Amino acid sequence: MAFTMEDYQESAAYLQSRLGGFVPRTAMVLGSGLGDLAGEVAQPICVDYRDIPHFKASTAPGHRGRFVFGLLEGRPVAVMQGRMHHYEGYSYEEVTYAIRVLRLLGCDTLIVTNAAGCVNTAWQAGDLMLITDHIKMFSESPLRGENLSPFGVRFPDASNLYTPRLRDVARQAAGELGIPLREGVYFYCYGPQYETPAEIRAARILGGDAVGMSTAPEVIVAGHCGMEVLGISLLSNMAAGILDQPLTEQEVLDAAQAAKEKFSALIRTCLARL
């Protein structure tokens, strides 16, 4: 389906009616198993996705499916406790719908997180990776269709979707905390099946360091909207074919649970430095 400017404005108006004058400036998307950070938001206002006009429900494991608005490190935030994925049956326009609504609410910065498979064999599961760029080659763009010019131009530049200034902020925050922070390229595959070992070898040859089923569509739309973007991946497991064992959802959720303290500390310190 094609959403109109009026649809986005209707969703934003509903949220504004629930927020009582609160204006978020930083949007945060919390990936699989990483939603606990939303529990640290002060003065929270929670809104389920299913209650918002034109929104879709999040059905993926480890995704709560709601907004949490409030203060984190003193900064007004809109936290997405779970996201929509293409593999759930949603179009890319539906997957990225929330980003445009958040832009209308006042968000000028997006912090996007995910749990990803580790493609780089020099690294290990449990590491955090600063996303420097992504590869999304074999699926349509979330900007396909009529361009809504109030959000951005027809042919947006994608040279620096992951904002260099915010990458510097993350490096400084990780150094301050003593948290090792890898840096690499996120390779997007739309799932829901995990990638084959041959696909992982191809991703490595093409320059991918981590692989996952989210993030790239949202970042493309955020860039189109003029938002600054910071991306962090939790490398929750070694990607297919690296270890002689099958991949499971539980492995991803367990890794997120184990890493939640350092993940939370890194995101909070980045926020404090914005």
Side-chain angles (χ1 to χ4, degrees):
M1 66 177 298
F3 291 112
T4 66
M5 197 67 201
E6 288 72 24
D7 293 331
Y8 291 108
Q9 290 168 336
E10 184 180 353
S11 297
Y14 173 82
L15 287 168
Q16 286 166 338
S17 74
R18 297 285 302 270
L19 295 178
F22 176 82
V23 178
R25 297 303 303 276
T26 300
M28 302 173 63
V29 182
L30 302 182
S32 297
L34 300 173
D36 285 353
L37 183 60
E40 301 178 27
V41 173
Q43 304 172 34
I45 302 170
C46 301
V47 184
D48 289 342
Y49 298 155
R50 64 180 69 249
D51 294 336
I52 306 169
H54 311 296
F55 263 64
K56 301 298 181 181
S58 180
T59 66
H63 290 250
R64 181 72 179 269
R66 67 176 185 176
F67 281 116
V68 180
F69 297 92
L71 300 177
L72 194 59
E73 294 298 321
R75 187 168 178 86
V77 298
V79 180
M80 290 186 68
Q81 201 172 16
R83 53 160 51 96
M84 279 59 78
H85 303 79
H86 192 53
Y87 66 71
E88 294 174 79
Y90 298 135
S91 70
Y92 282 115
E93 193 177 19
E94 291 168 329
V95 166
T96 59
Y97 185 84
I99 303 301
R100 284 177 161 173
V101 173
L102 290 167
R103 187 71 177 109
L104 291 178
L105 288 178
C107 291
D108 54 22
T109 303
L110 173 67
I111 298 177
V112 61
T113 73
N114 58 64
C118 183
V119 175
N120 191 320
T121 56
W123 302 348
Q124 60 186 0
D127 287 350
L128 297 179
M129 186 189 86
L130 175 63
I131 304 176
T132 59
D133 205 346
H134 71 236
I135 297 172
K136 188 194 78 67
M137 298 172 60
F138 306 116
S139 59
E140 67 185 42
S141 170
L143 303 179
R144 178 178 178 268
E146 179 186 0
N147 183 57
L148 297 180
S149 58
F151 288 118
V153 299
R154 170 75 282 185
F155 301 108
D157 177 52
S159 300
N160 282 303
L161 288 174
Y162 300 87
T163 310
R165 181 183 75 85
L166 297 189
R167 282 186 266 157
D168 286 340
V169 167
R171 294 182 188 107
Q172 293 165 8
E176 178 182 316
L177 295 167
I179 295 175
L181 185 62
R182 307 293 191 179
E183 297 189 30
V185 174
Y186 180 87
F187 197 99
Y188 172 72
C189 294
Y190 46 83
Q193 74 285 348
Y194 291 112
E195 301 74 30
T196 68
E199 288 169 337
I200 294 302
R201 292 194 298 272
R204 188 179 302 117
I205 291 168
L206 290 171
D209 295 292
V211 64
M213 305 175 191
S214 66
T215 300
E218 294 141 312
V219 171
I220 290 169
V221 167
H224 181 247
C225 290
M227 299 173 74
E228 292 192 305
V229 176
L230 173 64
I232 304 288
S233 291
L234 165 63
L235 305 180
S236 56
N237 56 277
M238 300 306 292
I242 296 176
L243 301 178
D244 187 20
Q245 63 187 46
L247 305 181
T248 67
E249 293 174 6
Q250 193 59 48
E251 181 181 15
V252 173
L253 298 177
D254 289 346
Q257 183 66 22
K260 68 177 184 180
E261 289 187 9
K262 66 178 180 180
F263 169 78
S264 175
L266 178 61
I267 297 300
R268 294 190 67 135
T269 303
C270 287
L271 269 174
R273 288 176 172 270
L274 288 179

